[in-house]
């Protein structure tokens, strides 16, 4: 069973960079797409972007000027950097695996990131 | 960009009743890339349906998906207590490559 685990700071100051890592266990990061999805408290889901195991990326156009994703296949990890954060970036951040039909079939438990000074 | 609009925003039903949730796309979309998720408080979303109508592994057969073009439906034939949650539809587009979610339908106990 594939397991995903997000890690990173729970508090980020405004204008700084939010950095998260997703570690995959029980399966390989190879030959698949891996995404980040976020959810502000009490609100819906927003896709941030995805990365293939080779390193190619697609980002949400609304965030692409602030987002960078990377992959480390040797560690079975992929990462998210979101620059110049504001309070509007406060959310639970999930990592997820691409499943059949361009779905998300496995998700991490989510990590709350708060943007505040 | 595709916009998915779910209705109703909140659906109040009793266990044993039938639940019908709607997802409407702003333009015709490929059914192959339409999915449904269930989310309970404090948990990550759970994949229910892919390709508009195919149940994911382990999903009970009381959940079914249908639709094509711009109108899609998730039906729960007989509501169990554990089915009360928030449900999201999701689409994957290829121009540009992008995932879009509906705003969600909250299914609550009446």
């Amino acid at each position: 069973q594939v397991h995903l685990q997000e890690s990173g700071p729970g508090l980020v100051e405004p204008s700084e960079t939010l950095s998260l890592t997703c570690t995959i266990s029980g399966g390989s990061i190879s030959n698949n797409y891996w995404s980040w999805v976020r959810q502000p408290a009490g609100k819906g889901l927003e896709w941030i972007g995805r990365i293939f195991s080779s390193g190619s990326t697609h980002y949400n156009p609304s965030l692409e000027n602030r987002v960078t994703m990377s992959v480390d296949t040797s560690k079975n990890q992929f990462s998210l950097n979101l620059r110049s954060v504001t309070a509007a970036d406060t959310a639970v951040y999930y990592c997820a695996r691409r499943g059949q039909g361009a779905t998300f079939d496995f998700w991490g438990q989510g990590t709350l990131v708060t943007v505040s000074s | 960009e595709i916009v998915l609009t779910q209705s109703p925003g909140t659906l109040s039903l009793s266990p044993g009743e039938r639940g019908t949730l709607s997802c409407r796309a702003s333009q015709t979309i490929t059914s192959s890339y339409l999915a449904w998720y269930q989310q309970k408080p404090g948990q990550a979303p759970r994949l229910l349906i892919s390709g508009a109508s195919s149940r994911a592994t382990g999903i009970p057969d009381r959940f079914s998906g249908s639709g094509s073009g711009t109108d899609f439906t998730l039906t729960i034939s007989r509501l169990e207590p554990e089915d009360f949650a928030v449900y999201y539809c999701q689409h994957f587009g290829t121009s540009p490559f992008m995932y879009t979610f509906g705003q969600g339908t909250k299914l609550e106990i009446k």
Side-chain angles (χ1 to χ4, degrees):
Chain A
Q1 179 86 344
V2 175
H3 181 73
L4 288 74
Q5 180 68 58
E6 305 89 351
S7 59
L11 181 64
V12 181
E13 294 199 356
S15 80
E16 297 296 312
T17 297
L18 179 159
S19 296
L20 295 174
T21 295
C22 182
T23 301
I24 301 149
S25 58
S28 173
I29 197 171
S30 300
N31 298 315
N32 208 342
Y33 281 102
W34 304 88
S35 283
W36 290 97
V37 177
R38 69 180 182 179
Q39 185 173 38
K43 297 188 178 181
L45 301 163
E46 180 181 36
W47 177 72
I48 300 170
R50 70 176 188 175
I51 188 165
F52 193 67
S53 49
S54 65
S56 65
T57 55
H58 300 115
Y59 300 139
N60 187 322
S62 69
L63 296 169
E64 65 180 344
N65 62 337
R66 297 195 291 133
V67 172
T68 303
M69 296 176 64
S70 60
V71 62
D72 187 339
T73 55
S74 68
K75 295 182 179 179
N76 237 28
Q77 294 177 336
F78 64 104
S79 297
L80 168 70
N81 279 351
L82 181 64
R83 298 178 293 278
S84 304
V85 296
T86 69
D89 295 308
T90 294
V92 174
Y93 285 75
Y94 296 99
C95 55
R97 189 184 83 163
R98 182 195 194 277
Q100 284 189 339
T103 59
F104 301 115
D105 61 355
F106 287 96
W107 297 67
Q109 65 185 24
T111 187
L112 174 62
V113 180
T114 301
V115 179
S116 175
S117 55
Chain B
E1 179 184 330
I2 302 291
V3 176
L4 299 177
T5 302
Q6 293 186 240
S7 61
T10 301
L11 183 59
S12 300
L13 294 171
S14 299
E17 291 192 297
R18 180 185 187 90
T20 303
L21 288 69
S22 173
C23 176
R24 176 163 291 178
S26 57
Q27 57 188 276
T28 297
I29 61 174
T30 304
S31 300
S32 300
Y33 290 154
L34 193 285
W36 290 92
Y37 298 83
Q38 176 194 68
Q39 187 179 34
K40 297 180 180 179
Q43 296 184 16
R46 173 194 183 195
L47 176 64
L48 298 175
I49 301 287
S50 65
S53 61
S54 297
R55 275 188 301 278
T57 302
I59 301 304
D61 61 7
R62 64 180 182 273
F63 291 91
S64 63
S66 62
S68 63
T70 60
D71 293 317
F72 298 86
T73 301
L74 175 69
T75 302
I76 311 170
S77 59
R78 294 172 310 279
L79 286 164
E80 298 286 344
E82 62 267 27
D83 298 336
F84 292 92
V86 179
Y87 291 83
Y88 294 96
C89 57
Q90 169 249 302
H91 174 256
F92 175 70
T94 57
S95 184
F97 287 107
M98 181 171 175
Y99 287 87
T100 306
F101 291 92
Q103 83 280 17
T105 290
K106 181 179 181 180
L107 179 56
E108 64 176 24
I109 299 178
K110 187 174 182 179

